[in-house]
Amino acid sequence: MTAPIDRRAFLSTAGAAGLTLLAGPEAASALRPVRPSCPGPRIPRKLQQAMRGHVFDRGSRGFSAVYPVFNERFDYVVPRAVARPLDTNDVRGAVRWAVAHGVPLRARSGGHSYAGYSTLTGGVVLDLLRMNRVTVDRRAGIATIGAGA
Ligand SMILES: Cc1cc2nc3c(=O)[nH]c(=O)nc-3n(C[C@H](O)[C@H](O)[C@H](O)COP(=O)(O)OP(=O)(O)OC[C@H]3O[C@@H](n4cnc5c(N)ncnc54)[C@H](O)[C@@H]3O)c2cc1C
């Protein structure tokens, strides 16, 4: 019969086991960062090839109009691209692309965060403006509101 083990004891044991493993010759490779694999279709080289919605690359036509957020204080924070997904398939494509290429990604709904959290330097802003559909299921009493609404 197995003895019951509480959460604290389990974590201590598991942590000790992990340390034992890391102390072996494989420790170095165990600590090496691993780029996550992206199961599914092939990842294209360009973000625009991974989604239907428009991708405004930094310096391209229209970019200067779409990258700033509400607060001008953050105008100096310039992403490398602003992508406007049309649906969840586009979001999935953009996330897979960003993971595969190691590019930081930031979601933006309204862009009103006081702290400027919906922008970033160098990475890609996923601007959800076009995902603004609102549907109401009256029988279920459920409204589904797109993040860009
Ligand atoms: C003038 C003004 C008045 C305000 N008044 C109020 C107020 O009365 N009460 C109040 O509570 N707040 C208020 N705020 C703060 C603001 O409304 C909140 O910060 C709000 O959460 C911003 O929403 P947003 O969609 O613009 O977020 P964004 O700025 O787009 O994003 C905020 C953060 O959420 C993340 N994010 C955005 N969308 C998604 C998504 N779909 N999935 C996952 N992560 C996402 C972003 O990456 C970012 O980290 C005010 C802000 C301003 C500028």
Side-chain angles (χ1 to χ4, degrees):
M1 195 174 107
T2 52
I5 182 168
D6 67 18
R7 186 169 175 273
R8 183 181 295 259
F10 171 78
L11 290 174
S12 309
T13 310
L19 285 175
T20 307
L21 283 175
L22 288 177
E26 294 82 18
S29 63
L31 293 173
R32 203 174 300 132
V34 177
R35 178 162 288 186
S37 62
C38 291
R42 193 184 62 83
I43 310 282
R45 198 171 61 82
K46 289 179 168 274
L47 175 55
Q48 185 64 83
Q49 296 165 328
M51 54 186 287
R52 289 187 305 132
H54 193 71
V55 177
F56 299 83
D57 286 314
R58 184 172 179 166
S60 71
R61 188 188 172 96
F63 177 81
S64 58
V66 300
Y67 92 82
V69 288
F70 161 85
N71 192 336
E72 292 175 2
R73 185 172 157 233
F74 299 106
D75 281 359
Y76 75 95
V77 184
V78 186
R80 75 184 238 180
V82 175
R84 286 193 166 160
L86 301 181
D87 52 26
T88 49
N89 271 337
D90 269 5
V91 172
R92 188 181 304 122
V95 170
R96 291 182 71 246
W97 179 91
V99 170
H101 292 283
V103 175
L105 198 65
R106 186 68 46 85
R108 174 180 299 166
S109 288
H112 282 77
S113 156
Y114 272 128
Y117 285 155
S118 56
T119 195
L120 80 172
T121 299
V124 170
V125 169
L126 214 50
D127 183 353
L128 303 165
L129 184 83
R130 303 286 303 276
M131 294 177 63
N132 57 5
R133 198 153 164 249
V134 178
T135 56
V136 179
D137 182 339
R138 290 181 189 279
R139 279 177 48 179
I142 294 174
T144 304
I145 301 169

